[in-house]
Amino acid sequence: MADDKNPEGKYDVIIIGGGPGGLTAGLYTARASFKTLLVESGMVMSQITVTHLVENYPGVPDIGGYELVEKFKEQAKKFGLATTYASVTGLEKTEIAGMAGWRVKTDAGNFEALSVIVATGANWRKIGVPGEAEFTGRGVSYCATCDGPFYRDREVIVIGGGDTAVQEALFLTNFASKVTIVHRRDRLRATPILRERAAAHPKIAFAWDSVVTRIGGAEAVTHVKIANAKDPKEIRDIPADGVFVFIGLVPNTEFMKGVVELDKEGYIVADRDMKTSEPGIFACGDCIEKLLRQVVTACGDGATAAFSAELYVEELKGEKYGGR
Ligand code: NAP
């Protein structure tokens, strides 16, 4: 409801990003009756929505990532969370009814709020070798859930050694005749349970100490060239119809450069209360600097960010409850 501390068209909280962190924050602030708008980009797919199976979100065993996010959305909307699709291009300081606020600039116009929660997640890192851009969509993929079914009875390679690479390699065995994990070291970074499953799988092979230097083909991918990481002169070809790249993440924080402190990789620096270097801006989920990037940690961060934003807004409005 509009009043002098909450003018029409202005929000208490704007959340940027519609993944698990943003939706949890939205559930909390909307449920606490803070006027909230969640802005999500229809263009960037939240990583979780293309994860075929989430096994480690407590209480909801074996659920698809897309289905889990749909449940988050439904739950938040039940408490009145407003959402809109727009690409955020920047943030700048403004004033709202005499209080410090933030203008969120987007390709669909500007929105204003007393506080902002950034929950933009992270995206897949590219390997940057010849053939990668050329064959994207014609053999090179960053999404096994989306493209795996195209590789029934064909040979694919997966690049990377982390949880994502191994989990998606296991998923690809549902379709491919052979999945070769190409990793630059002689052992996997992935968690033991995934390592063991991959090692025991009859369709999975490993190319250790190997880096892909070129992706080759004609109409579509036919092979990759790999070099020995310890002896770059040792080069060989591996036949492959598909190349799945899972070599980690790049945070979606370009628009936050110069607004809040970022670490050297571009992750937002947030404290344990999800406060950033700028008062009124909070951050949560995969876009912040932290040890563990999982759905459950994004949700925990989201709840904390929401509560911090609530306290901040109450303080600004002079409505802070004693002791909170
Ligand atoms: P990650 O843990 O950062 O692993 C990236 C992998 O790619 C590493 O093995 C790394 O090698 C390799 N790599 C990085 N740059 C490379 C390059 N230029 N060329 C070749 N290889 C390269 O990333 P992730 O696997 O995407 O996981 C991201 C986060 O999500 C992690 O926190 C992970 O635990 C989490 N996650 C969890 C689950 C789950 O719990 N089931 C599933 C998926 C993801 P090095 O090992 O040599 O660094």
Side-chain angles (χ1 to χ4, degrees):
M1 209 170 50
D3 56 49
D4 59 340
K5 287 180 185 164
N6 205 359
E8 202 71 72
K10 317 278 174 182
Y11 294 89
D12 292 321
V13 187
I14 288 177
I15 297 165
I16 309 171
L23 286 167
T24 304
L27 164 67
Y28 272 68
T29 55
R31 187 167 175 271
S33 299
F34 285 79
K35 193 175 169 195
T36 306
L37 176 69
L38 184 147
V39 183
E40 65 178 319
S41 156
M43 305 304 287
V44 182
M45 300 260 271
S46 161
Q47 269 190 293
I48 187 65
T49 58
V50 293
T51 300
H52 76 281
L53 183 66
V54 179
E55 279 185 321
N56 52 2
Y57 187 75
V60 195
D62 300 340
I63 187 167
Y66 182 82
E67 199 188 339
L68 184 59
V69 169
E70 284 303 301
K71 282 182 185 289
F72 289 163
K73 228 176 246 180
E74 207 179 293
Q75 194 177 359
K77 284 190 172 172
K78 196 178 100 183
F79 291 103
L81 177 69
T83 63
T84 191
Y85 287 104
S87 262
V88 175
T89 52
L91 262 68
E92 62 189 22
K93 287 183 175 158
T94 185
E95 202 174 274
I96 300 171
M99 295 174 282
W102 288 96
R103 180 175 299 121
V104 177
K105 299 192 287 181
T106 84
D107 60 359
N110 298 338
F111 303 98
E112 292 185 358
L114 296 173
S115 69
V116 174
I117 297 175
V118 183
T120 42
N123 239 312
W124 295 273
R125 187 188 299 283
K126 309 272 192 316
I127 35 174
V129 297
E132 182 181 25
E134 187 189 338
F135 288 110
T136 294
R138 293 188 295 134
V140 174
S141 171
Y142 304 86
C143 176
T145 307
C146 320
D147 298 327
F150 295 123
Y151 296 93
R152 199 171 288 281
D153 301 325
R154 304 176 76 181
E155 294 193 12
V156 301
I157 71 152
V158 164
I159 307 174
D163 284 336
T164 307
V166 178
Q167 184 168 298
E168 299 308 295
L170 286 161
F171 174 65
L172 286 165
T173 61
N174 291 317
F175 312 102
S177 53
K178 182 178 178 186
V179 180
T180 303
I181 297 179
V182 179
H183 185 35
R184 63 185 179 183
R185 298 198 205 215
D186 60 5
R187 67 189 183 99
L188 298 170
R189 175 186 288 279
T191 196
I193 187 169
L194 291 174
R195 289 204 302 256
E196 284 157 21
R197 284 182 196 167
H201 202 290
K203 282 190 183 176
I204 293 183
F206 296 92
W208 299 116
D209 293 321
S210 298
V211 289
V212 171
T213 56
R214 172 179 289 277
I215 297 169
E219 288 301 301
V221 169
T222 54
H223 66 281
V224 295
K225 213 167 254 315
I226 59 173
N228 185 322
K230 289 178 177 155
D231 178 8
K233 289 197 292 297
E234 196 189 294
I235 293 169
R236 65 188 170 112
D237 283 352
I238 307 186
D241 301 303
V243 177
F244 287 84
V245 183
F246 300 115
I247 59 165
L249 306 170
V250 181
N252 296 321
T253 54
E254 195 61 30
F255 70 101
M256 294 301 287
K257 273 187 185 156
V259 182
V260 296
E261 186 189 349
L262 307 178
D263 74 3
K264 63 179 190 323
E265 290 178 66
Y267 289 100
I268 296 172
V269 178
D271 70 9
R272 58 163 207 182
D273 298 330
M274 304 300 137
K275 290 179 183 160
T276 69
S277 57
E278 270 299 323
I281 301 185
F282 305 86
C284 62
D286 282 4
C287 67
I288 66 168
E289 181 189 47
K290 63 176 179 174
L291 182 63
L292 186 61
R293 295 192 171 81
Q294 310 249 303
V295 180
V296 71
T297 58
C299 292
D301 294 350
T304 304
F307 191 62
S308 290
E310 290 167 18
L311 294 181
Y312 176 83
V313 169
E314 281 177 349
E315 176 108 53
L316 269 188
K317 290 183 175 177
E319 293 171 353
K320 193 172 171 200
Y321 184 80
R324 279 241 303 190

